[in-house]
Amino acid sequence: MPRPLSRGPSPAPQGYGGAPTSYGAPTYGAPIARPVSRGPSPAPYTYAGAPIARSISRGPSPAPPGIGRPDNSRHPSTSDFQVEKRAKSPNPYGRPSVSQTEIPYRDEALYREHVSVLIATKDTQFAVNGRIPVDPAQLVLFFRAKTGITHSLDFPIDISYNTPPALDVLIAACRPHPRSGSDYDTYGSREGLFYPPNLPLTASLDISNFPILDAIRNSLFPLLPPGEYLAAVKDGLDVIQPGSSTAAHSPALLRNDQRAGTIIITLPIRYRGGAMDIRDADGRTEKFQGTGGKTGDIEWIAFRSDCDYEVEPVQKGCLMTLSYAIYIKSFGPASPSLDTLITPSDTFFDLLSPILNMSRGRSVGFYLNHDYGVNPAEAAANALIPQLKGADALIYTAFKLHKLAPELHWTAGGYVWAKDQSLEFFGDDAGRPQSTNPVKNSPLLARTPFGAANSPRGTPPVRGTFGQYPGDPNYDEQDVDVIRSRVQGSGAVTLADAGITLLTDFKNLAPTVGRERVYFVANNELEKLVVNALLVVYIP
């Protein structure tokens, strides 16, 4: 029953004010006034309908049934934050932790062997598989039979329920794979079939619409340098009927076409069996079972050119695959030939022609416009050729189309390094003269952290010939002489000694020039020298 509203202080409970409690507990001080309550008080706890009188106790009262006992160790106030901490699992992965000493390895040598094989397989991947996220119902295969009539084959197909007439026509046009010791025009024992390459064949599936080649490059060709790409060319169509298989063979050796790998796409036709075994030059084998052409994504397998592959016997249905040859192509500035994707315009060639005619017998140089994030101390300037972009790629390609041989060199402060030379030894302090600048040798400067706001430097380390900051009080001619000594000691020569004429725009006083940086230590300071890339070409 709800209690009536109380607008005044309630009477003190029994036991306060000196009267003993029902348990004989002593009293504690004056009665405690209860706050004014403007709402109904909760009904007392009852058992079988009868109220239970609560008495004053030194300890916490027992919690009623079904209600947890509150924590009275600390009473929160308006100035406290209440934080609930979730229970932490003893193991972050939700499993009970097991100490390493409790794992019963009975054969430590066998365990280490398993680890070695796993790491070797991870580091030398020669085959990879995946799926193409496309609806099989959108796939159509177009082919021309021997009669000259063009047919279309729709997917998916399950020949256990119905065999499309176009499939019978396609199989009738196929020929067996050649085998040693057998006639090319006769079927070998349990050999798969292939569609003749002289008959037209095309599929509505275009693998260039999916990043398959990017996945293959990352998996099988991770060390492919910039500027080189993978290209896929359709190789053929194979059909394997029940009871047939394909013997182990190498597509690269069979075609002798300098391919880098092969892609095999399984078309959505239901089958059973037909596992593909890929074997590399070291004898390691990868088996890909496949899903048997079930409804879903279309599967593909890719392997390197030094691998053989075979198809195990098909038990039921029909296994049909499309194969593609993978080639490594190089386009643009990195191409050793004139195979480029971008060609300068006729107007640009017209502007370049008078310069070539007036520069005969000389080597001319152009600054590159873009930054490429390369450390000149670790790479030669020619390493930038595959990465050239914008105006840099345009001028480089134009010279190549003129049958010239442009090169890239590092340059700084009127000095130039050889095309195949890096600035690896530029930071070597051995035998170098030290600066006598009192500001740079200040003890205060030595105690100032690098990049601190109160550093007395505040400016780049070089000026004059090697920089853009003349008049810097922190750098004198002695500092420039130290840097010049480092540059000369690292193998650089002046542009005049190299016979290079630097071509710049006299109308543009602030040209856009790409900058790379070389870090070095001088006088206990970390300095960096700004280096530019120079395109040099000799005009015969």
Side-chain angles (χ1 to χ4, degrees):
M1 295 291 294
R3 298 179 61 183
L5 298 177
S6 175
R7 301 185 179 276
S10 303
Q14 185 181 1
Y16 289 84
T21 65
S22 58
Y23 296 97
T27 60
Y28 296 90
I32 301 176
R34 298 180 60 183
V36 177
S37 175
R38 300 186 181 275
S41 301
Y45 305 113
T46 60
Y47 291 89
I52 300 177
R54 292 186 297 175
S55 57
I56 302 301
S57 173
R58 293 183 178 181
S61 302
I67 302 178
R69 183 167 56 189
D71 183 10
N72 296 325
S73 60
R74 178 179 180 183
H75 299 281
S77 65
T78 58
S79 61
D80 293 331
F81 293 101
Q82 299 183 14
V83 180
E84 296 181 356
K85 298 183 178 180
R86 64 179 182 89
K88 295 184 178 179
S89 173
N91 189 291
Y93 301 99
R95 298 187 297 270
S97 59
V98 180
S99 62
Q100 294 293 334
T101 57
E102 297 177 2
I103 302 178
Y105 292 134
R106 298 182 180 180
D107 192 340
E108 182 67 22
L110 180 61
Y111 177 71
R112 296 175 61 184
E113 180 67 20
H114 288 321
V115 173
S116 176
V117 173
L118 174 64
I119 295 178
T121 303
K122 173 182 68 69
D123 295 341
T124 57
Q125 192 174 11
F126 60 89
V128 64
N129 69 322
R131 296 184 179 184
I132 302 177
V134 63
D135 184 5
Q138 299 178 359
L139 177 60
V140 181
L141 186 67
F142 301 94
F143 64 95
R144 182 179 299 173
K146 298 178 181 179
T147 59
I149 301 176
T150 302
H151 301 264
S152 64
L153 184 62
D154 297 328
F155 297 91
I157 299 175
D158 189 349
I159 62 176
S160 62
Y161 292 98
N162 183 27
T163 302
L167 180 60
D168 294 333
V169 176
L170 177 65
I171 295 176
C174 291
R175 307 173 70 176
H177 279 286
R179 300 182 62 186
S180 59
S182 63
D183 191 332
Y184 183 84
D185 293 326
T186 60
Y187 282 84
S189 175
R190 303 173 60 87
E191 271 297 310
L193 309 177
F194 73 95
Y195 190 78
N198 61 317
L199 296 179
L201 174 72
T202 185
S204 60
L205 176 66
D206 188 0
I207 63 174
S208 62
N209 294 332
F210 306 94
I212 297 178
L213 294 178
D214 290 340
I216 295 174
R217 173 173 181 164
N218 295 334
S219 300
L220 303 183
F221 306 97
L223 301 181
L224 200 64
E228 295 187 355
Y229 309 90
L230 298 182
V233 179
K234 187 177 62 177
D235 195 16
L237 174 73
D238 293 320
V239 179
I240 304 178
Q241 295 178 291
S244 299
S245 62
T246 300
H249 66 284
S250 172
L253 295 179
L254 184 63
R255 303 291 194 275
N256 193 21
D257 52 4
Q258 305 299 322
R259 68 177 64 190
T262 304
I263 304 175
I264 298 178
I265 298 178
T266 303
L267 300 181
I269 302 180
R270 293 296 298 271
Y271 69 94
R272 182 183 302 169
M276 296 187 184
D277 299 331
I278 313 297
R279 186 178 298 105
D280 70 346
D282 297 330
R284 297 177 302 167
T285 302
E286 289 274 6
K287 175 176 288 188
F288 300 95
Q289 187 65 47
T291 60
K294 296 181 180 179
T295 302
D297 299 335
I298 298 177
E299 297 177 298
W300 60 270
I301 299 173
F303 52 89
R304 301 174 67 102
S305 60
D306 57 348
C307 298
D308 299 339
Y309 94 99
E310 63 177 321
V311 181
E312 298 180 359
V314 174
Q315 303 171 5
K316 183 181 178 181
C318 179
L319 173 60
M320 184 180 296
T321 61
L322 271 175
S323 60
Y324 293 82
I326 304 174
Y327 298 95
I328 298 178
K329 298 291 185 179
S330 179
F331 300 99
S335 176
S337 62
L338 298 181
D339 188 10
T340 178
L341 296 177
I342 300 177
T343 303
S345 64
D346 294 339
T347 303
F348 188 82
F349 280 122
D350 293 340
L351 297 175
L352 181 62
S353 295
I355 297 177
L356 297 180
N357 294 329
M358 301 175 66
S359 302
R360 292 187 179 276
R362 292 191 295 176
S363 294
V364 296
F366 296 84
Y367 281 122
L368 297 188
N369 291 21
H370 298 279
D371 299 345
Y372 293 94
V374 176
N375 187 354
E378 299 177 356
N382 266 343
L384 300 179
I385 293 178
Q387 307 179 41
L388 293 181
K389 54 188 176 182
D392 303 337
L394 179 66
I395 188 68
Y396 187 92
T397 303
F399 284 130
K400 288 193 64 176
L401 292 177
H402 274 285
K403 305 299 179 64
L404 301 177
E407 301 172 348
L408 296 185
H409 298 255
W410 295 124
T411 180
Y415 286 79
V416 63
W417 285 262
K419 64 176 182 179
D420 56 350
Q421 185 179 2
S422 66
L423 277 69
E424 178 182 2
F425 301 104
F426 172 76
D428 190 3
D429 249 346
R432 307 281 187 229
Q434 299 297 320
S435 173
T436 58
N437 189 330
V439 177
K440 295 180 64 65
N441 296 332
S442 169
L444 176 62
L445 180 62
R447 294 193 300 266
T448 304
F450 298 137
N454 58 346
S455 172
R457 290 189 296 157
T459 56
V462 296
R463 67 177 182 85
T465 306
F466 291 93
Q468 303 286 336
Y469 304 95
D472 181 6
N474 294 338
Y475 290 87
D476 54 16
E477 290 299 329
Q478 178 67 22
D479 300 324
V480 176
D481 292 339
V482 170
I483 296 177
R484 183 181 294 107
S485 175
R486 287 176 176 267
V487 169
Q488 293 174 347
S490 62
V493 297
T494 63
L495 292 174
D497 293 339
I500 298 175
T501 302
L502 184 61
L503 303 183
T504 58
D505 184 4
F506 73 96
K507 296 181 180 179
N508 186 2
L509 300 180
T512 301
V513 178
R515 296 183 177 185
E516 311 299 338
R517 292 156 181 84
V518 178
Y519 290 86
F520 65 97
V521 177
N523 300 302
N524 298 324
E525 287 188 72
L526 181 64
E527 307 281 4
K528 56 185 177 181
L529 176 69
V530 176
V531 180
N532 311 114
L534 190 67
L535 188 151
V536 180
V537 59
Y538 175 73
I539 313 298

